[in-house]
Amino acid sequence: QVRLVESGGGLVQTGGSLRISCALIDPSGSRYPMAWFRQAPGKAREFVAVWRWSDSGTRYSHTVQGRFTISGEIATSTIHLQMNDLKPDDAGVYYCAASPKWTPTSARLVDYWGQGTQVTVSS
């Protein structure tokens, strides 16, 4: 059974930094593209960033480009999202996502979701 196990998150002041992580647990040992999405109260879940193991390729939402960095740790099949210069609009539940078939840059392309981790940004 494939699982995505998230860690990190918490409360940070505006302008601060936070790192969240997500480990892919697949009994077959496979790795496939992983991404972060986020959802604020009353809003739709939105794409944040994606990581491809095959070529270390990345893609970001324009709202986080230049402030967030996604990276991968192959030994543990874990991705990290380093979030700098956080703003109140960055607050929400951050969900790890993965798909063995697609590069998950849209929620409809996601096959697996993590349980979510809360990020709160105080102004």
Side-chain angles (χ1 to χ4, degrees), residues 31-55:
R31 291 187 201 91
Y32 24 84
M34 297 172 68
W36 288 101
F37 288 73
R38 66 187 182 189
Q39 188 167 21
K43 294 189 177 181
R45 194 169 296 190
E46 64 174 359
F47 167 77
V48 175
V50 69
W51 169 266
R52 282 198 310 266
W53 296 103
S54 58
D55 61 356

PDB file of all heavy atoms in Angstrom, residues 31-55:
ATOM      1  N   ARG A  31       9.720   4.932  -7.317  1.00  0.00           N
ATOM      2  CA  ARG A  31       9.625   6.370  -7.071  1.00  0.00           C
ATOM      3  C   ARG A  31       8.945   7.005  -8.272  1.00  0.00           C
ATOM      4  O   ARG A  31       9.181   6.603  -9.413  1.00  0.00           O
ATOM      5  CB  ARG A  31      11.013   6.999  -6.906  1.00  0.00           C
ATOM      6  CG  ARG A  31      11.726   6.603  -5.657  1.00  0.00           C
ATOM      7  CD  ARG A  31      13.009   7.406  -5.499  1.00  0.00           C
ATOM      8  NE  ARG A  31      13.913   6.701  -4.590  1.00  0.00           N
ATOM      9  CZ  ARG A  31      14.810   5.832  -4.993  1.00  0.00           C
ATOM     10  NH1 ARG A  31      14.959   5.571  -6.271  1.00  0.00           N
ATOM     11  NH2 ARG A  31      15.574   5.218  -4.117  1.00  0.00           N
ATOM     12  N   TYR A  32       8.114   7.974  -8.013  1.00  0.00           N
ATOM     13  CA  TYR A  32       7.442   8.663  -9.115  1.00  0.00           C
ATOM     14  C   TYR A  32       7.215  10.117  -8.717  1.00  0.00           C
ATOM     15  O   TYR A  32       7.409  10.486  -7.560  1.00  0.00           O
ATOM     16  CB  TYR A  32       6.142   7.964  -9.503  1.00  0.00           C
ATOM     17  CG  TYR A  32       5.501   7.130  -8.430  1.00  0.00           C
ATOM     18  CD1 TYR A  32       4.680   7.702  -7.475  1.00  0.00           C
ATOM     19  CD2 TYR A  32       5.717   5.751  -8.371  1.00  0.00           C
ATOM     20  CE1 TYR A  32       4.081   6.943  -6.501  1.00  0.00           C
ATOM     21  CE2 TYR A  32       5.125   4.979  -7.399  1.00  0.00           C
ATOM     22  CZ  TYR A  32       4.301   5.572  -6.463  1.00  0.00           C
ATOM     23  OH  TYR A  32       3.713   4.809  -5.492  1.00  0.00           O
ATOM     24  N   PRO A  33       6.848  10.933  -9.657  1.00  0.00           N
ATOM     25  CA  PRO A  33       6.742  12.373  -9.385  1.00  0.00           C
ATOM     26  C   PRO A  33       5.893  12.666  -8.151  1.00  0.00           C
ATOM     27  O   PRO A  33       4.843  12.076  -7.934  1.00  0.00           O
ATOM     28  CB  PRO A  33       6.101  12.934 -10.653  1.00  0.00           C
ATOM     29  CG  PRO A  33       6.531  11.996 -11.724  1.00  0.00           C
ATOM     30  CD  PRO A  33       6.534  10.643 -11.071  1.00  0.00           C
ATOM     31  N   MET A  34       6.389  13.628  -7.373  1.00  0.00           N
ATOM     32  CA  MET A  34       5.710  14.032  -6.144  1.00  0.00           C
ATOM     33  C   MET A  34       5.545  15.536  -6.141  1.00  0.00           C
ATOM     34  O   MET A  34       6.344  16.268  -6.736  1.00  0.00           O
ATOM     35  CB  MET A  34       6.532  13.597  -4.926  1.00  0.00           C
ATOM     36  CG  MET A  34       6.696  12.086  -4.812  1.00  0.00           C
ATOM     37  SD  MET A  34       7.849  11.604  -3.516  1.00  0.00           S
ATOM     38  CE  MET A  34       6.954  12.100  -2.036  1.00  0.00           C
ATOM     39  N   ALA A  35       4.529  15.979  -5.463  1.00  0.00           N
ATOM     40  CA  ALA A  35       4.218  17.410  -5.496  1.00  0.00           C
ATOM     41  C   ALA A  35       3.645  17.866  -4.157  1.00  0.00           C
ATOM     42  O   ALA A  35       3.290  17.052  -3.302  1.00  0.00           O
ATOM     43  CB  ALA A  35       3.212  17.706  -6.607  1.00  0.00           C
ATOM     44  N   TRP A  36       3.577  19.183  -4.019  1.00  0.00           N
ATOM     45  CA  TRP A  36       2.884  19.813  -2.901  1.00  0.00           C
ATOM     46  C   TRP A  36       1.725  20.632  -3.433  1.00  0.00           C
ATOM     47  O   TRP A  36       1.858  21.354  -4.421  1.00  0.00           O
ATOM     48  CB  TRP A  36       3.824  20.724  -2.129  1.00  0.00           C
ATOM     49  CG  TRP A  36       4.839  20.007  -1.320  1.00  0.00           C
ATOM     50  CD1 TRP A  36       6.144  19.799  -1.622  1.00  0.00           C
ATOM     51  CD2 TRP A  36       4.636  19.378  -0.043  1.00  0.00           C
ATOM     52  NE1 TRP A  36       6.769  19.080  -0.640  1.00  0.00           N
ATOM     53  CE2 TRP A  36       5.866  18.820   0.362  1.00  0.00           C
ATOM     54  CE3 TRP A  36       3.542  19.242   0.810  1.00  0.00           C
ATOM     55  CZ2 TRP A  36       6.032  18.131   1.560  1.00  0.00           C
ATOM     56  CZ3 TRP A  36       3.699  18.570   2.007  1.00  0.00           C
ATOM     57  CH2 TRP A  36       4.934  18.015   2.365  1.00  0.00           C
ATOM     58  N   PHE A  37       0.609  20.491  -2.749  1.00  0.00           N
ATOM     59  CA  PHE A  37      -0.560  21.328  -2.965  1.00  0.00           C
ATOM     60  C   PHE A  37      -0.894  21.983  -1.629  1.00  0.00           C
ATOM     61  O   PHE A  37      -0.440  21.542  -0.583  1.00  0.00           O
ATOM     62  CB  PHE A  37      -1.749  20.487  -3.434  1.00  0.00           C
ATOM     63  CG  PHE A  37      -1.636  19.980  -4.848  1.00  0.00           C
ATOM     64  CD1 PHE A  37      -0.759  18.963  -5.173  1.00  0.00           C
ATOM     65  CD2 PHE A  37      -2.415  20.514  -5.862  1.00  0.00           C
ATOM     66  CE1 PHE A  37      -0.639  18.489  -6.470  1.00  0.00           C
ATOM     67  CE2 PHE A  37      -2.317  20.055  -7.165  1.00  0.00           C
ATOM     68  CZ  PHE A  37      -1.431  19.043  -7.472  1.00  0.00           C
ATOM     69  N   ARG A  38      -1.704  23.016  -1.688  1.00  0.00           N
ATOM     70  CA  ARG A  38      -2.142  23.628  -0.436  1.00  0.00           C
ATOM     71  C   ARG A  38      -3.599  24.053  -0.559  1.00  0.00           C
ATOM     72  O   ARG A  38      -4.110  24.274  -1.668  1.00  0.00           O
ATOM     73  CB  ARG A  38      -1.272  24.830  -0.062  1.00  0.00           C
ATOM     74  CG  ARG A  38      -1.389  26.019  -1.014  1.00  0.00           C
ATOM     75  CD  ARG A  38      -0.370  27.074  -0.653  1.00  0.00           C
ATOM     76  NE  ARG A  38      -0.485  28.245  -1.523  1.00  0.00           N
ATOM     77  CZ  ARG A  38       0.389  29.248  -1.534  1.00  0.00           C
ATOM     78  NH1 ARG A  38       1.455  29.213  -0.721  1.00  0.00           N
ATOM     79  NH2 ARG A  38       0.212  30.270  -2.338  1.00  0.00           N
ATOM     80  N   GLN A  39      -4.227  24.152   0.600  1.00  0.00           N
ATOM     81  CA  GLN A  39      -5.633  24.547   0.618  1.00  0.00           C
ATOM     82  C   GLN A  39      -5.888  25.446   1.814  1.00  0.00           C
ATOM     83  O   GLN A  39      -5.656  25.051   2.962  1.00  0.00           O
ATOM     84  CB  GLN A  39      -6.528  23.306   0.681  1.00  0.00           C
ATOM     85  CG  GLN A  39      -8.003  23.606   0.509  1.00  0.00           C
ATOM     86  CD  GLN A  39      -8.818  22.351   0.256  1.00  0.00           C
ATOM     87  OE1 GLN A  39      -8.396  21.237   0.565  1.00  0.00           O
ATOM     88  NE2 GLN A  39      -9.996  22.523  -0.327  1.00  0.00           N
ATOM     89  N   ALA A  40      -6.364  26.648   1.525  1.00  0.00           N
ATOM     90  CA  ALA A  40      -6.754  27.583   2.568  1.00  0.00           C
ATOM     91  C   ALA A  40      -8.250  27.419   2.832  1.00  0.00           C
ATOM     92  O   ALA A  40      -8.992  26.949   1.950  1.00  0.00           O
ATOM     93  CB  ALA A  40      -6.438  29.013   2.137  1.00  0.00           C
ATOM     94  N   PRO A  41      -8.721  27.815   4.003  1.00  0.00           N
ATOM     95  CA  PRO A  41     -10.153  27.674   4.318  1.00  0.00           C
ATOM     96  C   PRO A  41     -11.029  28.366   3.279  1.00  0.00           C
ATOM     97  O   PRO A  41     -10.789  29.520   2.917  1.00  0.00           O
ATOM     98  CB  PRO A  41     -10.269  28.363   5.685  1.00  0.00           C
ATOM     99  CG  PRO A  41      -8.929  28.223   6.291  1.00  0.00           C
ATOM    100  CD  PRO A  41      -7.964  28.324   5.150  1.00  0.00           C
ATOM    101  N   GLY A  42     -12.023  27.640   2.772  1.00  0.00           N
ATOM    102  CA  GLY A  42     -12.948  28.213   1.807  1.00  0.00           C
ATOM    103  C   GLY A  42     -12.420  28.320   0.391  1.00  0.00           C
ATOM    104  O   GLY A  42     -13.108  28.857  -0.485  1.00  0.00           O
ATOM    105  N   LYS A  43     -11.206  27.830   0.166  1.00  0.00           N
ATOM    106  CA  LYS A  43     -10.615  27.928  -1.170  1.00  0.00           C
ATOM    107  C   LYS A  43     -10.337  26.532  -1.731  1.00  0.00           C
ATOM    108  O   LYS A  43     -10.256  25.547  -0.998  1.00  0.00           O
ATOM    109  CB  LYS A  43      -9.322  28.737  -1.121  1.00  0.00           C
ATOM    110  CG  LYS A  43      -9.544  30.202  -0.759  1.00  0.00           C
ATOM    111  CD  LYS A  43      -8.263  31.003  -0.930  1.00  0.00           C
ATOM    112  CE  LYS A  43      -8.497  32.476  -0.654  1.00  0.00           C
ATOM    113  NZ  LYS A  43      -7.252  33.270  -0.846  1.00  0.00           N
ATOM    114  N   ALA A  44     -10.149  26.489  -3.037  1.00  0.00           N
ATOM    115  CA  ALA A  44      -9.835  25.226  -3.688  1.00  0.00           C
ATOM    116  C   ALA A  44      -8.391  24.820  -3.415  1.00  0.00           C
ATOM    117  O   ALA A  44      -7.538  25.670  -3.135  1.00  0.00           O
ATOM    118  CB  ALA A  44     -10.064  25.342  -5.186  1.00  0.00           C
ATOM    119  N   ARG A  45      -8.136  23.543  -3.497  1.00  0.00           N
ATOM    120  CA  ARG A  45      -6.772  23.057  -3.354  1.00  0.00           C
ATOM    121  C   ARG A  45      -5.976  23.494  -4.577  1.00  0.00           C
ATOM    122  O   ARG A  45      -6.426  23.332  -5.720  1.00  0.00           O
ATOM    123  CB  ARG A  45      -6.774  21.538  -3.225  1.00  0.00           C
ATOM    124  CG  ARG A  45      -5.482  20.953  -2.739  1.00  0.00           C
ATOM    125  CD  ARG A  45      -5.659  19.489  -2.379  1.00  0.00           C
ATOM    126  NE  ARG A  45      -6.580  19.303  -1.264  1.00  0.00           N
ATOM    127  CZ  ARG A  45      -6.761  18.135  -0.636  1.00  0.00           C
ATOM    128  NH1 ARG A  45      -6.067  17.065  -1.028  1.00  0.00           N
ATOM    129  NH2 ARG A  45      -7.619  18.045   0.351  1.00  0.00           N
ATOM    130  N   GLU A  46      -4.780  24.037  -4.343  1.00  0.00           N
ATOM    131  CA  GLU A  46      -3.989  24.569  -5.452  1.00  0.00           C
ATOM    132  C   GLU A  46      -2.592  23.975  -5.481  1.00  0.00           C
ATOM    133  O   GLU A  46      -2.003  23.653  -4.449  1.00  0.00           O
ATOM    134  CB  GLU A  46      -3.900  26.098  -5.373  1.00  0.00           C
ATOM    135  CG  GLU A  46      -3.169  26.625  -4.159  1.00  0.00           C
ATOM    136  CD  GLU A  46      -2.971  28.135  -4.202  1.00  0.00           C
ATOM    137  OE1 GLU A  46      -3.377  28.781  -5.181  1.00  0.00           O
ATOM    138  OE2 GLU A  46      -2.388  28.665  -3.231  1.00  0.00           O
ATOM    139  N   PHE A  47      -2.072  23.881  -6.683  1.00  0.00           N
ATOM    140  CA  PHE A  47      -0.725  23.360  -6.904  1.00  0.00           C
ATOM    141  C   PHE A  47       0.308  24.350  -6.381  1.00  0.00           C
ATOM    142  O   PHE A  47       0.171  25.570  -6.544  1.00  0.00           O
ATOM    143  CB  PHE A  47      -0.518  23.125  -8.401  1.00  0.00           C
ATOM    144  CG  PHE A  47       0.905  22.888  -8.803  1.00  0.00           C
ATOM    145  CD1 PHE A  47       1.514  21.669  -8.574  1.00  0.00           C
ATOM    146  CD2 PHE A  47       1.639  23.899  -9.418  1.00  0.00           C
ATOM    147  CE1 PHE A  47       2.825  21.458  -8.938  1.00  0.00           C
ATOM    148  CE2 PHE A  47       2.943  23.694  -9.804  1.00  0.00           C
ATOM    149  CZ  PHE A  47       3.549  22.477  -9.561  1.00  0.00           C
ATOM    150  N   VAL A  48       1.374  23.811  -5.764  1.00  0.00           N
ATOM    151  CA  VAL A  48       2.470  24.644  -5.258  1.00  0.00           C
ATOM    152  C   VAL A  48       3.774  24.338  -6.001  1.00  0.00           C
ATOM    153  O   VAL A  48       4.395  25.239  -6.571  1.00  0.00           O
ATOM    154  CB  VAL A  48       2.670  24.427  -3.743  1.00  0.00           C
ATOM    155  CG1 VAL A  48       3.890  25.201  -3.247  1.00  0.00           C
ATOM    156  CG2 VAL A  48       1.421  24.837  -2.980  1.00  0.00           C
ATOM    157  N   ALA A  49       4.197  23.075  -5.991  1.00  0.00           N
ATOM    158  CA  ALA A  49       5.466  22.712  -6.610  1.00  0.00           C
ATOM    159  C   ALA A  49       5.499  21.211  -6.865  1.00  0.00           C
ATOM    160  O   ALA A  49       4.828  20.445  -6.176  1.00  0.00           O
ATOM    161  CB  ALA A  49       6.636  23.119  -5.718  1.00  0.00           C
ATOM    162  N   VAL A  50       6.301  20.810  -7.851  1.00  0.00           N
ATOM    163  CA  VAL A  50       6.424  19.388  -8.190  1.00  0.00           C
ATOM    164  C   VAL A  50       7.890  19.013  -8.356  1.00  0.00           C
ATOM    165  O   VAL A  50       8.711  19.853  -8.759  1.00  0.00           O
ATOM    166  CB  VAL A  50       5.621  19.059  -9.476  1.00  0.00           C
ATOM    167  CG1 VAL A  50       6.246  19.700 -10.698  1.00  0.00           C
ATOM    168  CG2 VAL A  50       5.488  17.548  -9.665  1.00  0.00           C
ATOM    169  N   TRP A  51       8.183  17.735  -8.045  1.00  0.00           N
ATOM    170  CA  TRP A  51       9.545  17.204  -8.151  1.00  0.00           C
ATOM    171  C   TRP A  51       9.516  15.908  -8.962  1.00  0.00           C
ATOM    172  O   TRP A  51       8.699  15.027  -8.719  1.00  0.00           O
ATOM    173  CB  TRP A  51      10.082  16.917  -6.751  1.00  0.00           C
ATOM    174  CG  TRP A  51      11.356  16.123  -6.734  1.00  0.00           C
ATOM    175  CD1 TRP A  51      11.491  14.765  -6.615  1.00  0.00           C
ATOM    176  CD2 TRP A  51      12.683  16.643  -6.852  1.00  0.00           C
ATOM    177  NE1 TRP A  51      12.806  14.417  -6.645  1.00  0.00           N
ATOM    178  CE2 TRP A  51      13.577  15.557  -6.791  1.00  0.00           C
ATOM    179  CE3 TRP A  51      13.206  17.928  -7.011  1.00  0.00           C
ATOM    180  CZ2 TRP A  51      14.945  15.714  -6.865  1.00  0.00           C
ATOM    181  CZ3 TRP A  51      14.576  18.086  -7.081  1.00  0.00           C
ATOM    182  CH2 TRP A  51      15.431  16.979  -7.014  1.00  0.00           C
ATOM    183  N   ARG A  52      10.444  15.823  -9.916  1.00  0.00           N
ATOM    184  CA  ARG A  52      10.587  14.591 -10.693  1.00  0.00           C
ATOM    185  C   ARG A  52      11.915  13.939 -10.336  1.00  0.00           C
ATOM    186  O   ARG A  52      12.978  14.555 -10.470  1.00  0.00           O
ATOM    187  CB  ARG A  52      10.556  14.893 -12.196  1.00  0.00           C
ATOM    188  CG  ARG A  52       9.186  15.148 -12.767  1.00  0.00           C
ATOM    189  CD  ARG A  52       9.208  14.999 -14.298  1.00  0.00           C
ATOM    190  NE  ARG A  52      10.286  15.770 -14.891  1.00  0.00           N
ATOM    191  CZ  ARG A  52      10.147  17.010 -15.364  1.00  0.00           C
ATOM    192  NH1 ARG A  52       8.968  17.602 -15.286  1.00  0.00           N
ATOM    193  NH2 ARG A  52      11.167  17.647 -15.904  1.00  0.00           N
ATOM    194  N   TRP A  53      11.852  12.691  -9.917  1.00  0.00           N
ATOM    195  CA  TRP A  53      13.065  11.950  -9.566  1.00  0.00           C
ATOM    196  C   TRP A  53      13.926  11.686 -10.787  1.00  0.00           C
ATOM    197  O   TRP A  53      15.152  11.646 -10.694  1.00  0.00           O
ATOM    198  CB  TRP A  53      12.690  10.626  -8.904  1.00  0.00           C
ATOM    199  CG  TRP A  53      11.991  10.782  -7.612  1.00  0.00           C
ATOM    200  CD1 TRP A  53      10.651  10.633  -7.382  1.00  0.00           C
ATOM    201  CD2 TRP A  53      12.569  11.122  -6.352  1.00  0.00           C
ATOM    202  NE1 TRP A  53      10.361  10.874  -6.067  1.00  0.00           N
ATOM    203  CE2 TRP A  53      11.533  11.165  -5.412  1.00  0.00           C
ATOM    204  CE3 TRP A  53      13.876  11.390  -5.933  1.00  0.00           C
ATOM    205  CZ2 TRP A  53      11.742  11.453  -4.078  1.00  0.00           C
ATOM    206  CZ3 TRP A  53      14.089  11.684  -4.600  1.00  0.00           C
ATOM    207  CH2 TRP A  53      13.035  11.718  -3.686  1.00  0.00           C
ATOM    208  N   SER A  54      13.298  11.466 -11.928  1.00  0.00           N
ATOM    209  CA  SER A  54      14.023  11.024 -13.117  1.00  0.00           C
ATOM    210  C   SER A  54      15.093  12.017 -13.559  1.00  0.00           C
ATOM    211  O   SER A  54      16.175  11.614 -13.998  1.00  0.00           O
ATOM    212  CB  SER A  54      13.041  10.779 -14.259  1.00  0.00           C
ATOM    213  OG  SER A  54      12.310  11.963 -14.543  1.00  0.00           O
ATOM    214  N   ASP A  55      14.810  13.299 -13.454  1.00  0.00           N
ATOM    215  CA  ASP A  55      15.760  14.314 -13.921  1.00  0.00           C
ATOM    216  C   ASP A  55      15.924  15.472 -12.937  1.00  0.00           C
ATOM    217  O   ASP A  55      16.453  16.528 -13.295  1.00  0.00           O
ATOM    218  CB  ASP A  55      15.329  14.863 -15.285  1.00  0.00           C
ATOM    219  CG  ASP A  55      13.963  15.528 -15.248  1.00  0.00           C
ATOM    220  OD1 ASP A  55      13.306  15.504 -14.177  1.00  0.00           O
ATOM    221  OD2 ASP A  55      13.543  16.082 -16.282  1.00  0.00           O
TER     222      ASP A  55
END
